[in-house]
Amino acid sequence: MTSTTFLLGQLFNGLSYCSILLLIALGLAITFGLMGVINMAHGELMMLGSYAAYVLQNYFAKQLAAQYFGWYFVLALPLAFVVSGLAGLLLERSLIRRLYGRPLETLLATWGVSLILQQLMRQIFGANNVDVRSPGWLMGRWHVAAGLELPHLRLFIIAFTSTCLFLMYALLFRTALGLRIRAVTQNRDMSACLGVPTRKVDAYTFALGSGLAGFAGCILSLMGSVGPNSGQNYIVDAFMVVVLGGVGKLAGAIAGSFVIGQTNVLFESFSTATMGKVMVFTLVILFLQWKPSGVFPSKVRSLD
Amino acid sequence: MPATDLLTIDRLNVYYAESHILRDVSLTVPEHKVACLMGRNGAGKTTLLKSVMGLLPARSGQVQFAGENITTRCPDERARRGMGYVPQGREIFPTLTVQENLVLGLLAAKQPKNGIPDEIFHLFPILKTMLKRRGGDLSGGQQQQLALARAMLSHPRLLLLDEPTEGIQPSIIDEIEDVITRIKEQKAVSILLVEQYLEFAWRLADFYYIMEKGSIVAHGTTEELSEEVAHRHLAI
Ligand SMILES: Nc1ncnc2c1ncn2[C@@H]1O[C@H](COP(=O)(O)OP(=O)(O)OP(=O)(O)O)[C@@H](O)[C@H]1O
Ligand SMILES: [Mg+2]
């Protein structure tokens, strides 16, 4: 193996890890970053996306001929988005809208919701982890050169995350709803005075962030088994990315995931996975001591 | 024929937490007229405009707009019923472009789809050259014009203007006065104007109200407003 291919391989690993992190963090960058809601149940919203994929996989395996099995994942993504988005909408309408501007209460209440959701999943799907099988078209590898093989799954994740990111930017900066979202997050009262139905915009925005969590959960189900507690594994990563990047800016989440992803892969290459995580975590904490508002500081209404 | 009243405020009481700010305030703005609300700093003028717009809840009393009791309506519903608000701090969205600020002004209009009409740039030519700039990068005077343009774009029936001349250089004050005069001449809009600059208010307003410590202490037509009354209540 030449050093160039090794370097390229490392770069690719870093990039694919970054896009997974970014995908995990994207929903939170909306609900926490833009709206300022500390949603402890965000991980469970991801988990709903994973279980959506699991249910659809079982349905395809049982009810349809084997040649259609590969298609299940194409449908699982939108299904996960809708399931998690609706759950988020329900959560916002019933609970979170009463707690805007009160971060502590929000934290406690959504933590309660996360426990309820975990128990609910345990009741429905059992306490044991379940597996979601990759469809055939995501299982191969692309042989670029000797010693450089790129798994289809990882290529797909990079492409999918980039698409999500592109669509998010298009939505926020090119559509009427996006303009309303940006206006409300900057100045809620003035937006209302101009006729923006701020409550509705809140609900849509929160549902959008939750739907993105569903996407993340759906993709993550291909990378490891899914259990009632799997949401907990991702929530720390997601918050870390958003806080490191700077709350309130989409670009912050990109930078955050890039920095964390690349350093993590770098550290892992000369120590163990756990040690790598510990070192990254320490570095993030040190960095935030030095720059508390992250790489891209900005003001958010309920946090200032 | 007596003009009908577009806005009627009846014995309105408003609190900030437990401090009683507005005390039994009654005030009317007739259709197509300009009423000016005057008073010293801290009298409660901004509080009154915020209550009219729905940003602050009324503890008791009523706000009637175009014959409808709107006391419990939210600000966005009031905006869509025809209220345009230019707040004291102008409240331009700083990271949105001038164009985006204006587009938001169109939301409450009846036909928001038609885009920003050219007439608005006849009133505020300076804005046409700045459409791509960020709202926060404009000077105070430019922001004031943008805030006024944004409020006008919804074709409001009632304009609420909170100290449009505050902290603005004389040449821009003249421009703003011209614009308000033109709006007035078109006889489509009523205005509730809060203003400390007496001559400015005098030239524009048909009616005056003077507020002291949250109560209306004098009111009448502007012609009747004597130097003596003005100075007793407003002299610094
Ligand atoms: N957010 C607030 N919380 C508590 N009290 C407030 C708040 N805003 C204003 N007040 C108080 O309400 C009273 C009226 O304030 P208001 O802003 O309406 O005065 P104003 O007449 O507009 O003054 P100015 O001419 O300086 O703009 C003041 O005593 C002020 O201290
Ligand atoms: Mg004021």
Side-chain angles (χ1 to χ4, degrees), chain B residues 52-66:
Chain B
V52 171
M53 198 61 223
L55 290 173
L56 293 171
R59 187 72 63 95
S60 69
Q62 251 200 22
V63 181
Q64 286 225 1
F65 181 65

PDB file of all heavy atoms in Angstrom, chain B residues 52-66:
ATOM      1  N   VAL B  52     -51.797  48.269  21.305  1.00  0.00           N
ATOM      2  CA  VAL B  52     -52.673  48.350  20.135  1.00  0.00           C
ATOM      3  C   VAL B  52     -52.289  47.265  19.127  1.00  0.00           C
ATOM      4  O   VAL B  52     -53.140  46.644  18.499  1.00  0.00           O
ATOM      5  CB  VAL B  52     -52.584  49.753  19.488  1.00  0.00           C
ATOM      6  CG1 VAL B  52     -53.324  49.767  18.156  1.00  0.00           C
ATOM      7  CG2 VAL B  52     -53.160  50.807  20.415  1.00  0.00           C
ATOM      8  N   MET B  53     -50.976  47.004  19.017  1.00  0.00           N
ATOM      9  CA  MET B  53     -50.509  46.005  18.057  1.00  0.00           C
ATOM     10  C   MET B  53     -50.711  44.580  18.584  1.00  0.00           C
ATOM     11  O   MET B  53     -50.636  43.615  17.838  1.00  0.00           O
ATOM     12  CB  MET B  53     -49.020  46.264  17.785  1.00  0.00           C
ATOM     13  CG  MET B  53     -48.485  45.629  16.538  1.00  0.00           C
ATOM     14  SD  MET B  53     -49.296  46.201  15.030  1.00  0.00           S
ATOM     15  CE  MET B  53     -49.495  44.658  14.168  1.00  0.00           C
ATOM     16  N   GLY B  54     -50.958  44.445  19.894  1.00  0.00           N
ATOM     17  CA  GLY B  54     -51.195  43.112  20.449  1.00  0.00           C
ATOM     18  C   GLY B  54     -49.970  42.482  21.070  1.00  0.00           C
ATOM     19  O   GLY B  54     -49.991  41.301  21.425  1.00  0.00           O
ATOM     20  N   LEU B  55     -48.883  43.251  21.210  1.00  0.00           N
ATOM     21  CA  LEU B  55     -47.668  42.683  21.808  1.00  0.00           C
ATOM     22  C   LEU B  55     -47.774  42.604  23.326  1.00  0.00           C
ATOM     23  O   LEU B  55     -47.050  41.845  23.960  1.00  0.00           O
ATOM     24  CB  LEU B  55     -46.446  43.518  21.420  1.00  0.00           C
ATOM     25  CG  LEU B  55     -46.030  43.429  19.953  1.00  0.00           C
ATOM     26  CD1 LEU B  55     -44.928  44.433  19.649  1.00  0.00           C
ATOM     27  CD2 LEU B  55     -45.578  42.017  19.607  1.00  0.00           C
ATOM     28  N   LEU B  56     -48.642  43.431  23.901  1.00  0.00           N
ATOM     29  CA  LEU B  56     -48.842  43.399  25.351  1.00  0.00           C
ATOM     30  C   LEU B  56     -50.317  43.148  25.620  1.00  0.00           C
ATOM     31  O   LEU B  56     -51.177  43.718  24.947  1.00  0.00           O
ATOM     32  CB  LEU B  56     -48.433  44.745  25.978  1.00  0.00           C
ATOM     33  CG  LEU B  56     -46.946  45.096  25.916  1.00  0.00           C
ATOM     34  CD1 LEU B  56     -46.738  46.527  26.366  1.00  0.00           C
ATOM     35  CD2 LEU B  56     -46.151  44.145  26.792  1.00  0.00           C
ATOM     36  N   PRO B  57     -50.639  42.285  26.574  1.00  0.00           N
ATOM     37  CA  PRO B  57     -52.046  41.989  26.844  1.00  0.00           C
ATOM     38  C   PRO B  57     -52.707  43.101  27.666  1.00  0.00           C
ATOM     39  O   PRO B  57     -52.050  43.758  28.466  1.00  0.00           O
ATOM     40  CB  PRO B  57     -51.975  40.690  27.657  1.00  0.00           C
ATOM     41  CG  PRO B  57     -50.642  40.757  28.344  1.00  0.00           C
ATOM     42  CD  PRO B  57     -49.722  41.525  27.438  1.00  0.00           C
ATOM     43  N   ALA B  58     -53.991  43.276  27.440  1.00  0.00           N
ATOM     44  CA  ALA B  58     -54.745  44.254  28.221  1.00  0.00           C
ATOM     45  C   ALA B  58     -55.252  43.577  29.487  1.00  0.00           C
ATOM     46  O   ALA B  58     -55.740  42.451  29.447  1.00  0.00           O
ATOM     47  CB  ALA B  58     -55.913  44.774  27.404  1.00  0.00           C
ATOM     48  N   ARG B  59     -55.099  44.245  30.630  1.00  0.00           N
ATOM     49  CA  ARG B  59     -55.667  43.701  31.866  1.00  0.00           C
ATOM     50  C   ARG B  59     -57.164  43.951  31.889  1.00  0.00           C
ATOM     51  O   ARG B  59     -57.949  43.120  32.293  1.00  0.00           O
ATOM     52  CB  ARG B  59     -54.971  44.364  33.067  1.00  0.00           C
ATOM     53  CG  ARG B  59     -55.311  43.793  34.425  1.00  0.00           C
ATOM     54  CD  ARG B  59     -54.709  42.414  34.684  1.00  0.00           C
ATOM     55  NE  ARG B  59     -53.267  42.334  34.694  1.00  0.00           N
ATOM     56  CZ  ARG B  59     -52.501  42.405  35.777  1.00  0.00           C
ATOM     57  NH1 ARG B  59     -53.031  42.587  36.966  1.00  0.00           N
ATOM     58  NH2 ARG B  59     -51.196  42.280  35.673  1.00  0.00           N
ATOM     59  N   SER B  60     -57.561  45.144  31.418  1.00  0.00           N
ATOM     60  CA  SER B  60     -58.986  45.425  31.246  1.00  0.00           C
ATOM     61  C   SER B  60     -59.121  46.492  30.166  1.00  0.00           C
ATOM     62  O   SER B  60     -58.133  47.104  29.758  1.00  0.00           O
ATOM     63  CB  SER B  60     -59.606  45.898  32.553  1.00  0.00           C
ATOM     64  OG  SER B  60     -59.102  47.187  32.868  1.00  0.00           O
ATOM     65  N   GLY B  61     -60.355  46.705  29.704  1.00  0.00           N
ATOM     66  CA  GLY B  61     -60.586  47.664  28.627  1.00  0.00           C
ATOM     67  C   GLY B  61     -60.656  46.981  27.279  1.00  0.00           C
ATOM     68  O   GLY B  61     -60.575  45.746  27.198  1.00  0.00           O
ATOM     69  N   GLN B  62     -60.830  47.797  26.241  1.00  0.00           N
ATOM     70  CA  GLN B  62     -61.101  47.245  24.907  1.00  0.00           C
ATOM     71  C   GLN B  62     -60.328  47.968  23.832  1.00  0.00           C
ATOM     72  O   GLN B  62     -60.077  49.170  23.937  1.00  0.00           O
ATOM     73  CB  GLN B  62     -62.588  47.427  24.600  1.00  0.00           C
ATOM     74  CG  GLN B  62     -63.363  46.144  24.610  1.00  0.00           C
ATOM     75  CD  GLN B  62     -64.664  46.274  23.839  1.00  0.00           C
ATOM     76  OE1 GLN B  62     -64.824  47.137  22.978  1.00  0.00           O
ATOM     77  NE2 GLN B  62     -65.593  45.398  24.160  1.00  0.00           N
ATOM     78  N   VAL B  63     -59.949  47.227  22.800  1.00  0.00           N
ATOM     79  CA  VAL B  63     -59.419  47.847  21.588  1.00  0.00           C
ATOM     80  C   VAL B  63     -60.322  47.434  20.443  1.00  0.00           C
ATOM     81  O   VAL B  63     -60.520  46.238  20.204  1.00  0.00           O
ATOM     82  CB  VAL B  63     -57.969  47.395  21.294  1.00  0.00           C
ATOM     83  CG1 VAL B  63     -57.457  48.077  20.037  1.00  0.00           C
ATOM     84  CG2 VAL B  63     -57.061  47.700  22.469  1.00  0.00           C
ATOM     85  N   GLN B  64     -60.896  48.432  19.763  1.00  0.00           N
ATOM     86  CA  GLN B  64     -61.755  48.147  18.614  1.00  0.00           C
ATOM     87  C   GLN B  64     -61.073  48.635  17.356  1.00  0.00           C
ATOM     88  O   GLN B  64     -60.570  49.753  17.313  1.00  0.00           O
ATOM     89  CB  GLN B  64     -63.079  48.896  18.767  1.00  0.00           C
ATOM     90  CG  GLN B  64     -63.990  48.295  19.801  1.00  0.00           C
ATOM     91  CD  GLN B  64     -65.420  48.210  19.281  1.00  0.00           C
ATOM     92  OE1 GLN B  64     -65.694  48.585  18.143  1.00  0.00           O
ATOM     93  NE2 GLN B  64     -66.324  47.716  20.100  1.00  0.00           N
ATOM     94  N   PHE B  65     -61.067  47.792  16.335  1.00  0.00           N
ATOM     95  CA  PHE B  65     -60.448  48.175  15.069  1.00  0.00           C
ATOM     96  C   PHE B  65     -61.423  47.862  13.944  1.00  0.00           C
ATOM     97  O   PHE B  65     -61.884  46.721  13.834  1.00  0.00           O
ATOM     98  CB  PHE B  65     -59.132  47.409  14.887  1.00  0.00           C
ATOM     99  CG  PHE B  65     -58.414  47.750  13.618  1.00  0.00           C
ATOM    100  CD1 PHE B  65     -57.913  49.038  13.399  1.00  0.00           C
ATOM    101  CD2 PHE B  65     -58.219  46.798  12.631  1.00  0.00           C
ATOM    102  CE1 PHE B  65     -57.247  49.353  12.231  1.00  0.00           C
ATOM    103  CE2 PHE B  65     -57.546  47.112  11.459  1.00  0.00           C
ATOM    104  CZ  PHE B  65     -57.063  48.390  11.261  1.00  0.00           C
ATOM    105  N   ALA B  66     -61.753  48.868  13.157  1.00  0.00           N
ATOM    106  CA  ALA B  66     -62.690  48.723  12.048  1.00  0.00           C
ATOM    107  C   ALA B  66     -63.974  48.018  12.508  1.00  0.00           C
ATOM    108  O   ALA B  66     -64.471  47.104  11.856  1.00  0.00           O
ATOM    109  CB  ALA B  66     -62.042  47.958  10.897  1.00  0.00           C
TER     110      ALA B  66
END
